[in-house]
Amino acid sequence: MDRREALLRELNLYPQWKLRARSARAAQGGAASVPVTAEAIAPAAAAQKMPPDSGSPIAKRQAELDGLGWTEMKRLVRDCTACKLRAGCTQTVFGVGDEKAGWLFVGEGPGADEDAQGEPFVGQAGKLLDNMLMAINLKRGTNVYIANIVKCRPPGNRNPEADEIAACLPYLQRQIELIRPRMIVALGKVASNALLGRDATLASLRGKPHDYRGIPLIVTYHPAYLLRSPMEKAKAWQDLKLAVKTMEGGM
Ligand code: SF4
């Protein structure tokens, strides 16, 4: 059994799907990222500024962060006390990976392991995410950036609340402006709705490319959910295939 087959077996997916060579090239960022979808996503628009939403807390935070680089952003997040989550966490978890990555994976918030280590998606969920990445020929840190909607761990691993998301989302938005990814994969309902400004079920969001300010966005399950519901791994695999196809302009 080769490494790829082993990964697919771990994901409960073998032998359902074999990644085509051109899909592999797309996953590595070697193909055009022009998805032909009804939503007419334009990669060049990835560099656009976030439009103002006057008066909202998000708009005010965006204005504060506008133009900041990585060093200043990391310092601001490290010292941030803008919402009540900071009081209960060990440290902020900024994000990790290639700061010019083509692929951005976004979860909802740090868990206990992430809070302890200061890195997103470590522990069992992180191991599964790494395997999901490898299954589409990606690797943490190489053409991949991983971040969360909120940078501080919600107590008891509850979902982040609306005011916490509103306070923290501008950091991620600025990270996206700096990275300029060509694909965003939203992991779970919370991350998907926060990025898309929706209040929808995961089922209704899956299966089609969305548009996050000119960047194609694919919705899939959070790895922690997949650990609890391994039968859904096949659906997650379909989502990853859609992301690769969208990257190569095949959708
Ligand atoms: Fe600041 Fe975000 Fe942490 Fe809230 S969750 S304190 S906004 S870094």
Side-chain angles (χ1 to χ4, degrees):
M1 184 189 312
D2 64 19
R3 179 166 178 72
R4 177 168 180 70
E5 181 182 329
L7 282 171
L8 292 175
R9 287 187 187 280
E10 200 279 335
L11 289 168
N12 290 346
L13 296 166
Y14 188 86
Q16 283 181 251
W17 188 73
K18 290 183 179 179
L19 192 65
R20 293 169 299 171
R22 70 190 187 104
S23 296
R25 286 196 299 276
Q28 294 292 354
S33 61
V34 186
V36 184
T37 69
E39 295 177 75
I41 297 159
Q48 72 188 23
K49 292 286 182 188
M50 303 303 173
D53 181 12
S54 59
S56 73
I58 289 181
K60 290 176 184 169
R61 298 282 290 152
Q62 283 176 345
E64 292 169 6
L65 302 177
D66 188 36
L68 297 186
W70 286 108
T71 302
E72 188 67 2
M73 282 284 294
K74 288 173 184 173
R75 186 187 66 74
L76 280 177
V77 169
R78 185 197 65 200
D79 298 338
C80 183
T81 56
C83 82
K84 58 187 178 294
L85 290 181
R86 185 68 185 95
C89 73
T90 304
Q91 58 188 318
T92 58
V93 179
F94 183 78
V96 68
D98 182 349
E99 293 176 353
K100 293 296 177 191
W103 290 77
L104 171 65
F105 289 78
V106 180
E108 65 182 60
D113 293 325
E114 292 77 13
D115 181 61
Q117 297 186 38
E119 180 172 332
F121 286 97
V122 293
Q124 287 305 306
K127 182 169 176 283
L128 178 55
L129 178 60
D130 286 342
N131 286 341
M132 292 165 71
L133 294 176
M134 280 191 278
I136 54 170
N137 298 313
L138 290 173
K139 185 180 175 187
R140 181 185 293 241
T142 303
N143 202 27
V144 170
Y145 196 91
I146 302 171
N148 282 309
I149 295 294
V150 294
K151 312 296 189 193
C152 297
R153 182 194 181 199
N157 289 338
R158 65 160 170 77
N159 290 344
E161 296 171 354
D163 62 316
E164 297 157 355
I165 292 173
C168 207
L169 191 59
Y171 288 129
L172 178 63
Q173 290 173 326
R174 181 64 190 148
Q175 286 175 294
I176 295 172
E177 288 181 345
L178 289 168
I179 297 167
R180 300 181 183 183
R182 294 192 295 118
M183 170 59 68
I184 298 173
V185 179
L187 302 164
K189 179 181 169 183
V190 171
S192 303
N193 280 320
L195 286 169
L196 294 172
R198 302 270 294 273
D199 183 17
T201 63
L202 192 79
S204 70
L205 295 173
R206 286 186 54 250
K208 57 188 177 236
H210 298 272
D211 177 19
Y212 175 86
R213 304 191 187 286
I215 305 169
L217 184 151
I218 298 294
V219 169
T220 192
Y221 297 95
H222 193 286
Y225 173 79
L226 293 175
L227 290 173
R228 298 191 301 272
S229 307
M231 295 304 290
E232 305 286 30
K233 287 180 178 178
K235 292 182 186 172
W237 188 242
Q238 294 296 324
D239 299 333
L240 293 176
K241 284 196 296 180
L242 175 61
V244 171
K245 260 191 165 181
T246 304
M247 276 286 271
E248 70 182 5
M251 291 295 294

Short mmCIF file of all heavy atoms in Angstrom, two decimals, residues 61 76-87 89 91-93 110 149-153 163-171, ligand 1:
data_model
loop_
_atom_site.label_atom_id
_atom_site.label_comp_id
_atom_site.label_asym_id
_atom_site.label_seq_id
_atom_site.Cartn_x
_atom_site.Cartn_y
_atom_site.Cartn_z
N ARG A 61 -13.04 48.16 13.00
CA ARG A 61 -11.83 47.36 13.19
C ARG A 61 -11.05 47.24 11.88
O ARG A 61 -9.84 47.29 11.85
CB ARG A 61 -12.20 45.95 13.68
CG ARG A 61 -12.91 45.92 15.01
CD ARG A 61 -11.97 46.11 16.17
NE ARG A 61 -11.12 44.94 16.32
CZ ARG A 61 -9.92 44.97 16.85
NH1 ARG A 61 -9.40 46.11 17.24
NH2 ARG A 61 -9.23 43.87 16.98
N LEU A 76 -0.64 42.97 17.34
CA LEU A 76 -1.98 43.38 17.76
C LEU A 76 -2.81 42.20 18.25
O LEU A 76 -3.50 42.30 19.26
CB LEU A 76 -2.70 44.06 16.59
CG LEU A 76 -2.34 45.52 16.31
CD1 LEU A 76 -3.09 46.01 15.08
CD2 LEU A 76 -2.66 46.40 17.50
N VAL A 77 -2.75 41.10 17.53
CA VAL A 77 -3.52 39.92 17.95
C VAL A 77 -2.98 39.38 19.27
O VAL A 77 -3.75 39.04 20.18
CB VAL A 77 -3.48 38.83 16.85
CG1 VAL A 77 -4.03 37.51 17.37
CG2 VAL A 77 -4.27 39.30 15.63
N ARG A 78 -1.68 39.34 19.40
CA ARG A 78 -1.08 38.84 20.65
C ARG A 78 -1.57 39.63 21.86
O ARG A 78 -1.83 39.07 22.92
CB ARG A 78 0.45 38.93 20.55
CG ARG A 78 1.18 38.33 21.73
CD ARG A 78 2.63 38.83 21.75
NE ARG A 78 2.69 40.27 21.96
CZ ARG A 78 3.72 41.05 21.66
NH1 ARG A 78 4.79 40.52 21.12
NH2 ARG A 78 3.68 42.35 21.90
N ASP A 79 -1.71 40.95 21.67
CA ASP A 79 -2.06 41.82 22.80
C ASP A 79 -3.56 42.13 22.86
O ASP A 79 -3.99 42.92 23.70
CB ASP A 79 -1.29 43.14 22.69
CG ASP A 79 0.21 42.92 22.77
OD1 ASP A 79 0.63 41.88 23.32
OD2 ASP A 79 0.97 43.78 22.28
N CYS A 80 -4.34 41.52 21.99
CA CYS A 80 -5.75 41.90 21.87
C CYS A 80 -6.57 41.48 23.09
O CYS A 80 -6.43 40.37 23.61
CB CYS A 80 -6.35 41.25 20.62
SG CYS A 80 -8.07 41.73 20.33
N THR A 81 -7.44 42.40 23.51
CA THR A 81 -8.43 42.10 24.56
C THR A 81 -9.80 42.62 24.13
O THR A 81 -10.59 43.06 24.95
CB THR A 81 -8.02 42.74 25.90
OG1 THR A 81 -7.86 44.16 25.71
CG2 THR A 81 -6.73 42.15 26.43
N ALA A 82 -10.04 42.58 22.83
CA ALA A 82 -11.24 43.24 22.28
C ALA A 82 -12.53 42.49 22.58
O ALA A 82 -13.61 43.05 22.38
CB ALA A 82 -11.08 43.42 20.78
N CYS A 83 -12.45 41.25 23.00
CA CYS A 83 -13.68 40.54 23.37
C CYS A 83 -13.41 39.68 24.59
O CYS A 83 -12.28 39.49 25.02
CB CYS A 83 -14.25 39.72 22.21
SG CYS A 83 -13.47 38.10 21.98
N LYS A 84 -14.49 39.13 25.13
CA LYS A 84 -14.39 38.41 26.40
C LYS A 84 -13.66 37.08 26.30
O LYS A 84 -13.30 36.49 27.33
CB LYS A 84 -15.79 38.18 26.98
CG LYS A 84 -16.75 37.42 26.08
CD LYS A 84 -18.15 37.39 26.69
CE LYS A 84 -19.16 36.69 25.80
NZ LYS A 84 -19.42 37.37 24.52
N LEU A 85 -13.38 36.61 25.10
CA LEU A 85 -12.69 35.33 24.98
C LEU A 85 -11.27 35.40 25.52
O LEU A 85 -10.72 34.40 25.99
CB LEU A 85 -12.67 34.87 23.51
CG LEU A 85 -14.00 34.42 22.92
CD1 LEU A 85 -13.81 33.98 21.47
CD2 LEU A 85 -14.61 33.29 23.74
N ARG A 86 -10.66 36.57 25.44
CA ARG A 86 -9.25 36.67 25.84
C ARG A 86 -9.05 36.33 27.31
O ARG A 86 -8.00 35.80 27.70
CB ARG A 86 -8.72 38.08 25.53
CG ARG A 86 -7.23 38.23 25.79
CD ARG A 86 -6.42 37.40 24.80
NE ARG A 86 -5.00 37.43 25.08
CZ ARG A 86 -4.35 36.52 25.80
NH1 ARG A 86 -5.03 35.52 26.34
NH2 ARG A 86 -3.06 36.61 25.98
N ALA A 87 -10.05 36.62 28.12
CA ALA A 87 -9.92 36.40 29.57
C ALA A 87 -9.82 34.92 29.91
O ALA A 87 -9.26 34.56 30.95
CB ALA A 87 -11.10 37.03 30.29
N CYS A 89 -8.56 32.39 27.78
CA CYS A 89 -7.65 31.54 26.99
C CYS A 89 -6.21 31.70 27.47
O CYS A 89 -5.87 32.66 28.15
CB CYS A 89 -7.76 31.87 25.50
SG CYS A 89 -7.02 33.43 25.00
N GLN A 91 -3.50 31.76 25.34
CA GLN A 91 -2.81 32.65 24.40
C GLN A 91 -3.67 32.78 23.14
O GLN A 91 -4.56 31.97 22.90
CB GLN A 91 -1.45 32.07 24.01
CG GLN A 91 -1.52 30.69 23.38
CD GLN A 91 -0.16 30.05 23.18
OE1 GLN A 91 0.79 30.73 22.77
NE2 GLN A 91 -0.06 28.77 23.47
N THR A 92 -3.39 33.80 22.37
CA THR A 92 -4.06 33.92 21.08
C THR A 92 -3.41 32.96 20.09
O THR A 92 -2.24 32.61 20.21
CB THR A 92 -3.99 35.35 20.55
OG1 THR A 92 -2.61 35.73 20.43
CG2 THR A 92 -4.70 36.32 21.46
N VAL A 93 -4.20 32.55 19.10
CA VAL A 93 -3.70 31.63 18.06
C VAL A 93 -3.88 32.34 16.73
O VAL A 93 -4.97 32.41 16.17
CB VAL A 93 -4.48 30.30 18.09
CG1 VAL A 93 -3.96 29.36 17.01
CG2 VAL A 93 -4.34 29.64 19.47
N PRO A 110 -9.77 28.16 18.25
CA PRO A 110 -8.86 27.19 18.86
C PRO A 110 -9.58 26.29 19.86
O PRO A 110 -10.52 26.72 20.53
CB PRO A 110 -7.85 28.09 19.60
CG PRO A 110 -8.02 29.46 19.02
CD PRO A 110 -9.46 29.55 18.59
N ILE A 149 -11.67 31.69 12.67
CA ILE A 149 -12.49 32.89 12.73
C ILE A 149 -12.16 33.71 13.97
O ILE A 149 -12.03 34.93 13.90
CB ILE A 149 -14.00 32.51 12.74
CG1 ILE A 149 -14.39 31.83 11.42
CG2 ILE A 149 -14.88 33.74 13.00
CD1 ILE A 149 -14.29 32.72 10.20
N VAL A 150 -12.05 33.06 15.12
CA VAL A 150 -11.63 33.77 16.34
C VAL A 150 -10.28 33.23 16.79
O VAL A 150 -9.97 32.05 16.62
CB VAL A 150 -12.66 33.64 17.49
CG1 VAL A 150 -13.94 34.36 17.12
CG2 VAL A 150 -12.91 32.19 17.87
N LYS A 151 -9.47 34.12 17.37
CA LYS A 151 -8.08 33.77 17.71
C LYS A 151 -7.93 33.24 19.13
O LYS A 151 -6.85 32.79 19.51
CB LYS A 151 -7.18 35.00 17.56
CG LYS A 151 -7.34 35.78 16.26
CD LYS A 151 -6.96 34.97 15.06
CE LYS A 151 -6.92 35.84 13.81
NZ LYS A 151 -6.84 35.02 12.59
N CYS A 152 -8.99 33.34 19.93
CA CYS A 152 -8.92 32.87 21.31
C CYS A 152 -9.91 31.73 21.52
O CYS A 152 -10.99 31.72 20.92
CB CYS A 152 -9.26 34.00 22.28
SG CYS A 152 -8.11 35.38 22.23
N ARG A 153 -9.55 30.82 22.37
CA ARG A 153 -10.37 29.63 22.60
C ARG A 153 -11.68 29.97 23.32
O ARG A 153 -11.65 30.52 24.43
CB ARG A 153 -9.60 28.62 23.44
CG ARG A 153 -10.38 27.35 23.66
CD ARG A 153 -9.78 26.50 24.76
NE ARG A 153 -10.57 25.27 24.92
CZ ARG A 153 -10.56 24.51 25.98
NH1 ARG A 153 -9.77 24.82 26.99
NH2 ARG A 153 -11.30 23.43 26.05
N ASP A 163 -20.91 38.52 18.89
CA ASP A 163 -20.09 39.69 19.22
C ASP A 163 -18.59 39.33 19.19
O ASP A 163 -17.76 40.18 18.83
CB ASP A 163 -20.47 40.26 20.58
CG ASP A 163 -20.26 39.27 21.72
OD1 ASP A 163 -20.62 38.09 21.56
OD2 ASP A 163 -19.71 39.67 22.76
N GLU A 164 -18.27 38.11 19.54
CA GLU A 164 -16.87 37.66 19.49
C GLU A 164 -16.39 37.54 18.05
O GLU A 164 -15.27 37.94 17.72
CB GLU A 164 -16.74 36.33 20.24
CG GLU A 164 -17.07 36.43 21.73
CD GLU A 164 -17.49 35.12 22.36
OE1 GLU A 164 -17.62 34.10 21.65
OE2 GLU A 164 -17.71 35.12 23.59
N ILE A 165 -17.25 37.01 17.20
CA ILE A 165 -16.90 36.92 15.78
C ILE A 165 -16.74 38.32 15.19
O ILE A 165 -15.79 38.59 14.45
CB ILE A 165 -17.99 36.12 15.02
CG1 ILE A 165 -17.96 34.65 15.46
CG2 ILE A 165 -17.79 36.23 13.51
CD1 ILE A 165 -19.09 33.81 14.89
N ALA A 166 -17.66 39.21 15.54
CA ALA A 166 -17.58 40.57 15.01
C ALA A 166 -16.29 41.26 15.44
O ALA A 166 -15.68 42.01 14.67
CB ALA A 166 -18.79 41.38 15.47
N ALA A 167 -15.87 40.99 16.67
CA ALA A 167 -14.64 41.63 17.18
C ALA A 167 -13.40 41.07 16.50
O ALA A 167 -12.42 41.79 16.26
CB ALA A 167 -14.55 41.44 18.69
N CYS A 168 -13.42 39.79 16.18
CA CYS A 168 -12.19 39.13 15.73
C CYS A 168 -12.09 39.00 14.21
O CYS A 168 -10.98 38.92 13.67
CB CYS A 168 -12.10 37.74 16.36
SG CYS A 168 -10.40 37.14 16.55
N LEU A 169 -13.21 38.96 13.53
CA LEU A 169 -13.18 38.70 12.09
C LEU A 169 -12.29 39.66 11.29
O LEU A 169 -11.64 39.24 10.33
CB LEU A 169 -14.62 38.71 11.54
CG LEU A 169 -14.80 38.20 10.11
CD1 LEU A 169 -14.31 36.76 9.96
CD2 LEU A 169 -16.27 38.30 9.69
N PRO A 170 -12.24 40.95 11.66
CA PRO A 170 -11.36 41.84 10.90
C PRO A 170 -9.90 41.39 10.84
O PRO A 170 -9.21 41.67 9.86
CB PRO A 170 -11.50 43.18 11.62
CG PRO A 170 -12.88 43.13 12.19
CD PRO A 170 -13.06 41.71 12.64
N TYR A 171 -9.43 40.70 11.86
CA TYR A 171 -8.05 40.20 11.81
C TYR A 171 -7.92 39.19 10.66
O TYR A 171 -6.97 39.24 9.88
CB TYR A 171 -7.68 39.50 13.11
CG TYR A 171 -7.49 40.42 14.28
CD1 TYR A 171 -8.15 40.18 15.49
CD2 TYR A 171 -6.64 41.52 14.22
CE1 TYR A 171 -7.97 41.01 16.59
CE2 TYR A 171 -6.46 42.36 15.30
CZ TYR A 171 -7.13 42.10 16.49
OH TYR A 171 -6.95 42.92 17.55
FE1 SF4 B 1 -9.14 39.74 20.36
FE2 SF4 B 1 -10.07 37.87 18.71
FE3 SF4 B 1 -9.07 37.13 21.06
FE4 SF4 B 1 -11.42 38.41 20.96
S1 SF4 B 1 -10.97 36.36 20.09
S2 SF4 B 1 -9.73 38.88 22.35
S3 SF4 B 1 -11.09 39.82 19.22
S4 SF4 B 1 -7.93 38.10 19.38
#
